[in-house]
Amino acid sequence: MSHIVFGILAQVDAGKTTLSESLLFSAGALKKAGRVDKKDAFLDNYELERERGITIFSKQAEFLAYGKNFTLLDTPGHVDFSVEMERVLSVLDAAILVISASAGVQSQVSVIWKLLKHYSIPTYIFVNKMDQPGASKENILKELKEKLDSNIISYAHSTSKEYDAFLEEVSLCDEAVLESYMEEGKISLSEIQKLIQERKFFSAFFGSALKNEGVEEFLENFAKLTVCPVYETEFAARVFKIARDTAGNRLTYMKLMGGSLSVREMIGDEKVTGIRIYSGEKFENRDTVKAGEVCTVTGFKNTKVGEGLGSLAGTKIGSVLRQVMSYKVELPENEPVHVFLPKIREISEEIPELSVKYAEEKKEINISLMGEVQTEVLKHLIKERYNVDINFGEGNILYKETIADTVYGVGHFEPLRHYAEVELRLEPAERGSGLSFASEVSEDELAINYQKLILSHLEEKEYKGVLTGSPITDMKITLVAGRAHLKHTEGGDFRQATYRAVRQGLMQARSVLLEPVYDFKLEVPEEAIGRAMTDMGKMNGSFASPENKSGKAVLTGKIPVSEVKDYALELRAYTKGEGLLSLTPSDYEVCHNAEEIIERFQYYPEADIENTADSVFCSHGAGFVVPWDEVINYMHLPYFGKADEEESEEEAFLRYTNMVETQVGSERGEIFLGTDEIDSILNSAVSSNKKKEAETARNRWKNRGKSETKTAVSIGVPKIRRNISKDDYLLVDGYNIIFAWEELKELANINIDSARDKLIERLANYQGYKGCKLILVFDAYKVRGGKENIVKQGNVWIVYTKEAETADQYIAKASLELTKDGMVRVATSDALVQMIIFGSGAARLSARDLELEVKYVEGLISEKLEKL
């Protein structure tokens, strides 16, 4: 009989657990459907879950319906337990996404949708709470198509009058199906099943789980449309959860991806002592389970969440979601740290995202969490299991670091009777991609076993950045050269050389500090939208134009985690309780206040002995340490990072500018570089100037602490001219200035277009008096659609950036390049731009300073007009 494992996912309060209960009741697995508000839900069996009315841990239920066996995995909906939800995704055959008809597509729903796409899970949508006043099938379906996928289609049964229209819409999801439909006028069940499996079509159903309306029809069609996977005969399994029962037995939850599993069988070095099939709190003991089933195994002591067993051994599925906060664990006086540490590490097996870190010198335990609610759950769990009352210190933001350029790192380890040398290429990678590793070394140059050893060493360590000591991410590390000794090389030698090579490369790179951001959705009364936009701007948030929904203004965008703090209380006050803010951990972006954070951390990479970038060489039978910035003068392998001496950075720029049209409009000699052109010249200049970059990096770290200003890209700011001349550039971040100038901010609260026009008018007057080359940049997504648009108003160039490119990104690139053509000042209070411009030699002009200059010039203009 077919066996299908499916999960139910939703944002909190969408009615996910209620739908689970209703499905089990419809299938005959329950005599009565439980309710969250009555604290008798079949799957919410943990005391704290019933107390708070939320799902905290994923649960399992087994039932039979329409000739198929089903395993239902109920997952948490609260954002603080998103990682628990994500762990389940790796074992699902299908997913049911529950949407509240009243709430619609909120930020957490968008996160879940991205995860379902990432794990390639066939997905069905059940729109719940259709019994509530104002619920509109047409409106919610339109929102689903706009915000999730255009191929979400309301399901129609073959006997309904809407069936023909349904088939026609389904046919548009795939060219082959469309062609078949045009010829035969029908679509077979197998074709529809295939479209669902390939995520080309998403069937939407509507109903009320609480009143059991539409649930039975949904279950019938879900059973008909979902296809059971085909499994291999060889044993394979994926672990998705670790837990402990009331007796303290360690439980390994897994799904069999192939073959079968029996009690007393050996899997690697571990023995299966028992197999359980859970359904709610109760379980059935089994001797054997087969592919497709979810089971719980006792006897395993070393299994980890995400790892594969059997033919999947060696594979591991990590989490896409990331924790954003770190908390210090505060213990009672009668609980020594060394006694408590094994206990919290045992808990971290079950909740891997805790990421327990112990600082020996401070005798301090720190853990990573998603949010405040998770701290309460952890307190309760530890009290219940170990009878220890713990508290947590104030949460700290979990920062990360990456690099902005390609560098080569060298590590050499050669104390007496040891030898290894490694050279690595470190390259920036796409944001959110994490770390990846590769080798491009021939087996003739370095034996394959040594290459594999180096790659395994690269993967085993969490690397610290050199700005704050935060973890490194979004980087590709490639082995480009390595050397061993026939007699003296041991495995540990390559570990030392590899770690040092990574660190030496990081010391040379232009490092960038990253901070976690939230996706936010802010709903306020229409009269409060101006205040809301101003607040989001002050907190360095980015957002699209507000939308109107059911009499409220809705603002969506991204905001740094560090800026939100207690804003929910402030929101409640100025909206008289009508405002609603929902936050969902999103990803990492360039830190908006990097200088301040770097200064606060006071991290000195050369003082971090455990993460040294220095190498060890041998001379006259004794080892000696070579500082990281001198290693290339001692290394034995050729250095791949040597500069191409044929063309300097300045020569590359001049060569490029000769090919650029020097006439822009009627202004002779004015050169405007677009972002694509800037990218091209930057790549050319950087690749031809490795040696200079390495020297800059060395000077940067030698002078660290001496400079008054520290940034994530450059340390030390060149002296700048205070007065702008006709040959100079002024780059202005439009919206940043609007929300910083009080007069324009008040105008923006009424009409953002009027504020923008007023800024253009004032800067045009300023430019006319000063004669500088003024470029005003606006985020296009806030103003005009998709493509980059450059217009000239008077002698002011106005840039509306292309789709998915912010003003600060454009200005950062432009300032890097235009400093070679003249003095550049950048008017902004945005930290991202600050980081780049300080390193490029440009000067930062604060929003307030620009306002004072403009007012001063306006005064001079008025005096001249009065005289005339």
Side-chain angles (χ1 to χ4, degrees):
M1 187 181 292
S2 297
H3 196 113
I4 293 170
V5 178
F6 71 95
I8 298 189
L9 308 97
Q11 182 155 321
V12 68
D13 294 332
K16 172 185 54 59
T17 300
T18 305
L19 178 60
S20 300
E21 299 286 316
S22 189
L23 285 171
L24 293 171
F25 175 73
S26 297
L30 293 179
K31 293 181 180 179
K32 178 186 175 184
R35 289 182 55 158
V36 174
D37 56 343
K38 292 183 178 179
K39 301 181 180 180
D40 63 351
F42 177 70
L43 291 172
D44 282 351
N45 47 45
Y46 183 50
E47 178 188 341
L48 199 60
E49 291 177 317
R50 290 181 171 172
E51 183 183 314
R52 296 188 63 100
I54 59 173
T55 301
I56 296 173
F57 300 107
S58 59
K59 304 294 191 320
Q60 176 182 342
E62 301 287 318
F63 66 92
L64 173 66
Y66 300 99
K68 292 182 179 179
N69 283 313
F70 290 95
T71 297
L72 183 159
L73 295 176
D74 186 25
T75 66
H78 195 285
V79 64
D80 277 14
F81 308 103
S82 298
V83 181
E84 173 81 11
M85 173 269 294
E86 186 191 355
R87 285 196 281 270
V88 171
L89 300 185
S90 64
V91 300
L92 297 184
D93 301 324
I96 299 170
L97 177 59
V98 185
I99 306 287
S100 168
S102 56
V105 179
Q106 298 190 14
S107 55
Q108 176 70 353
V109 173
S110 300
V111 171
I112 295 171
W113 189 258
K114 290 176 184 175
L115 288 171
L116 290 168
K117 182 179 179 180
H118 176 79
Y119 288 95
S120 301
I121 300 172
T123 303
Y124 300 82
I125 292 173
F126 186 86
V127 180
N128 195 23
K129 303 185 180 182
M130 289 299 294
D131 57 317
Q132 294 189 354
S136 166
K137 180 178 177 180
E138 290 72 23
N139 289 345
I140 190 67
L141 192 59
K142 180 182 177 183
E143 185 179 2
L144 290 171
K145 286 177 176 288
E146 289 177 353
K147 295 185 176 180
L148 298 183
D149 196 291
S150 59
N151 286 347
I152 295 174
I153 302 168
S154 176
Y155 185 79
H157 199 272
S158 58
T159 57
S160 66
K161 55 185 178 181
E162 296 92 359
Y163 187 61
D164 289 339
F166 166 71
L167 288 184
E168 186 175 334
E169 198 170 354
V170 170
S171 70
L172 299 176
C173 298
D174 183 81
E175 289 185 14
V177 173
L178 175 60
E179 189 176 327
S180 172
Y181 177 71
M182 295 293 288
E183 291 178 0
E184 302 177 17
K186 63 180 182 179
I187 302 175
S188 66
L189 176 60
S190 61
E191 286 177 309
I192 292 178
Q193 290 172 332
K194 185 180 179 185
L195 288 176
I196 292 173
Q197 287 298 113
E198 294 176 350
R199 289 181 52 84
K200 293 180 178 179
F201 159 51
F202 307 93
S203 188
F205 297 82
F206 298 79
S208 169
L210 186 61
K211 295 184 177 180
N212 206 30
E213 295 174 357
V215 177
E216 192 163 342
E217 178 192 353
F218 167 66
L219 179 58
E220 179 185 357
N221 287 290
F222 176 70
K224 179 175 71 174
L225 297 172
T226 307
V227 178
C228 180
V230 177
Y231 298 102
E232 299 292 332
T233 56
E234 185 180 359
F235 169 73
R238 178 73 64 190
V239 177
F240 68 91
K241 181 178 175 180
I242 302 293
R244 281 171 174 78
D245 62 15
T246 53
N249 296 309
R250 190 177 190 272
L251 307 176
T252 299
Y253 287 75
M254 63 175 72
K255 180 190 175 184
L256 264 67
M257 303 291 198
S260 61
L261 182 68
S262 301
V263 175
R264 292 181 295 278
E265 189 173 338
M266 293 295 295
I267 303 298
D269 297 330
E270 300 198 281
K271 184 178 181 180
V272 179
T273 59
I275 297 176
R276 304 175 182 179
I277 304 293
Y278 273 88
S279 193
E281 288 183 282
K282 298 179 180 179
F283 64 86
E284 168 198 354
N285 285 309
R286 293 264 291 272
D287 292 328
T288 304
V289 285
K290 297 180 180 179
E293 294 187 276
V294 170
C295 66
T296 304
V297 174
T298 58
F300 289 172
K301 301 187 185 312
N302 301 308
T303 44
K304 295 178 181 178
V305 171
E307 77 171 335
L309 304 176
S311 63
L312 292 177
T315 66
K316 185 174 172 60
I317 295 180
S319 175
V320 174
L321 299 175
R322 295 286 182 266
Q323 304 78 18
V324 296
M325 301 292 290
S326 173
Y327 296 84
K328 177 188 172 183
V329 178
E330 297 177 347
L331 299 173
E333 291 183 2
N334 62 345
E335 183 72 14
V337 175
H338 69 275
V339 173
F340 181 76
L341 189 58
K343 298 174 183 176
I344 191 68
R345 283 183 170 155
E346 183 178 279
I347 294 283
S348 71
E349 287 186 336
E350 303 165 35
I351 312 175
E353 65 269 23
L354 289 187
S355 185
V356 178
K357 293 185 179 178
Y358 175 60
E360 176 65 41
E361 64 280 1
K362 298 180 181 179
K363 306 295 182 188
E364 183 177 292
I365 299 173
N366 287 277
I367 60 173
S368 304
L369 294 172
M370 296 294 286
E372 293 287 342
V373 178
Q374 207 173 8
T375 63
E376 295 179 34
V377 172
L378 200 57
K379 284 182 187 179
H380 186 277
L381 190 62
I382 290 171
K383 174 66 175 176
E384 180 184 65
R385 187 176 296 183
Y386 307 113
N387 196 30
V388 177
D389 290 301
I390 67 165
N391 283 305
F392 295 98
E394 184 179 351
N396 296 311
I397 304 296
L398 286 173
Y399 292 93
K400 292 189 178 183
E401 295 181 31
T402 188
I403 60 175
D405 56 348
T406 299
V407 292
Y408 289 82
V410 180
H412 189 99
F413 188 69
E414 191 188 0
L416 187 62
R417 296 188 181 90
H418 293 269
Y419 185 93
E421 185 165 280
V422 171
E423 185 170 0
L424 306 169
R425 183 172 65 243
L426 280 58
E427 303 169 89
E430 184 180 348
R431 188 73 71 243
S433 62
L435 297 178
S436 61
F437 311 98
S439 174
E440 55 185 41
V441 178
S442 165
E443 292 183 36
D444 296 333
E445 297 174 19
L446 183 66
I448 191 66
N449 61 311
Y450 283 135
Q451 293 189 42
K452 289 180 178 179
L453 188 61
I454 292 169
L455 291 175
S456 67
H457 290 324
L458 284 171
E459 293 180 18
E460 71 192 7
K461 183 177 171 67
E462 180 181 83
Y463 297 99
K464 285 186 176 182
V466 295
L467 298 176
T468 62
S470 299
I472 283 288
T473 188
D474 301 342
M475 187 170 72
K476 181 180 180 181
I477 304 179
T478 305
L479 175 65
V480 296
R483 178 173 287 183
H485 191 280
L486 288 174
K487 286 179 61 179
H488 299 314
T489 298
E490 298 177 0
D493 299 344
F494 272 112
R495 176 184 286 109
Q496 287 290 333
T498 300
Y499 291 174
R500 293 164 193 264
V502 173
R503 189 70 168 177
Q504 202 258 356
L506 291 174
M507 294 290 281
Q508 300 176 67
R510 288 187 292 129
S511 294
V512 178
L513 187 64
L514 303 175
E515 66 177 345
V517 298
Y518 286 132
D519 283 328
F520 77 84
K521 183 177 182 180
L522 180 61
E523 297 182 33
V524 296
E526 289 184 348
E527 62 271 17
I529 187 60
R531 164 70 186 273
M533 292 175 69
T534 301
D535 287 350
M536 292 299 105
K538 284 180 178 177
M539 291 189 287
N540 289 277
S542 60
F543 47 86
S545 300
E547 301 176 359
N548 291 321
K549 184 179 179 182
S550 304
K552 283 193 173 184
V554 180
L555 207 61
T556 57
K558 293 181 182 291
I559 191 166
V561 171
S562 61
E563 292 293 311
V564 179
K565 298 176 183 174
D566 299 324
Y567 183 69
L569 299 176
E570 188 178 337
L571 173 68
R572 194 177 300 124
Y574 78 77
T575 62
K576 298 179 181 178
E578 293 185 43
L580 177 64
L581 175 67
S582 61
L583 301 167
T584 304
S586 176
D587 45 26
Y588 274 77
E589 294 186 355
V590 175
C591 184
H592 75 283
N593 58 339
E595 293 176 67
E596 177 188 338
I597 301 304
I598 293 169
E599 183 66 33
R600 186 192 307 164
F601 268 79
Q602 289 290 301
Y603 177 74
Y604 298 100
E606 290 178 304
D608 189 345
I609 301 172
E610 291 184 5
N611 294 278
T612 181
D614 301 338
S615 283
V616 178
F617 287 80
C618 187
S619 178
H620 304 295
F624 65 98
V625 176
V626 174
W628 67 270
D629 54 347
E630 298 176 18
V631 173
I632 61 172
N633 300 321
Y634 289 80
M635 63 182 290
H636 298 171
L637 291 163
Y639 182 51
F640 284 82
K642 287 185 178 176
D644 181 356
E645 304 290 353
E646 294 180 3
E647 184 177 53
S648 68
E649 188 173 8
E650 292 76 10
E651 289 169 340
F653 177 73
L654 292 173
R655 171 179 55 77
Y656 177 75
T657 53
N658 287 333
M659 299 185 292
V660 179
E661 177 60 52
T662 57
Q663 297 288 337
V664 180
S666 60
E667 291 295 308
R668 186 172 182 271
E670 185 103 334
I671 300 175
F672 186 86
L673 298 178
T675 54
D676 292 335
E677 292 87 348
I678 290 173
D679 281 340
S680 174
I681 184 60
L682 279 177
N683 289 337
S684 173
V686 168
S687 63
S688 67
N689 205 30
K690 296 289 181 186
K691 195 171 184 178
K692 184 177 178 182
E693 286 181 355
E695 185 63 32
T696 301
R698 284 194 286 272
N699 292 334
R700 184 166 81 232
W701 290 112
K702 285 178 180 177
N703 296 326
R704 185 177 175 87
K706 299 177 183 177
S707 173
E708 294 180 359
T709 306
K710 298 181 177 71
T711 74
V713 172
S714 180
I715 300 201
V717 183
K719 292 181 180 178
I720 57 174
R721 289 176 287 161
R722 296 182 61 84
N723 298 318
I724 197 162
S725 71
K726 288 180 168 52
D727 296 325
D728 294 337
Y729 290 92
L730 176 61
L731 291 164
V732 180
D733 185 339
Y735 285 108
N736 188 285
I737 298 300
I738 285 175
F739 286 103
W741 290 8
E742 201 60 36
E743 177 189 350
L744 296 181
K745 184 169 63 175
E746 292 175 2
L747 187 56
N749 292 339
I750 302 169
N751 189 303
I752 191 70
D753 292 332
S754 299
R756 189 173 60 251
D757 293 338
K758 185 68 175 177
L759 176 62
I760 293 171
E761 178 189 338
R762 294 185 68 181
L763 290 181
N765 291 335
Y766 172 84
Q767 188 280 331
Y769 186 89
K770 300 292 285 187
C772 60
K773 299 164 185 172
L774 199 152
I775 302 170
L776 178 58
V777 186
F778 290 103
D779 291 311
Y781 69 87
K782 293 182 183 176
V783 188
R784 315 172 184 240
K787 294 184 180 178
E788 183 180 285
N789 188 14
I790 303 173
V791 297
K792 191 176 182 185
Q793 190 164 324
N795 285 324
V796 175
W797 289 97
I798 304 171
V799 179
Y800 299 98
T801 63
K802 61 188 177 184
E803 185 177 2
E805 182 181 49
T806 60
D808 53 20
Q809 291 170 331
Y810 186 97
I811 289 173
K813 294 177 182 178
S815 64
L816 271 170
E817 204 46 50
L818 295 177
T819 48
K820 303 185 182 80
D821 196 41
M823 179 62 196
V824 176
R825 294 200 306 177
V826 178
T828 182
S829 56
D830 192 293
L832 167 62
V833 184
Q834 294 172 23
M835 288 190 296
I836 302 297
I837 64 174
F838 280 136
S840 67
R844 172 184 171 250
L845 184 68
S846 72
R848 175 169 171 74
D849 289 342
L850 177 63
E851 186 176 21
L852 292 173
E853 278 198 24
V854 170
K855 286 181 177 178
Y856 177 72
V857 167
E858 287 172 344
L860 295 176
I861 293 173
S862 296
E863 288 178 10
K864 287 196 173 186
L865 288 174
E866 286 175 7
K867 289 180 182 179
L868 289 172

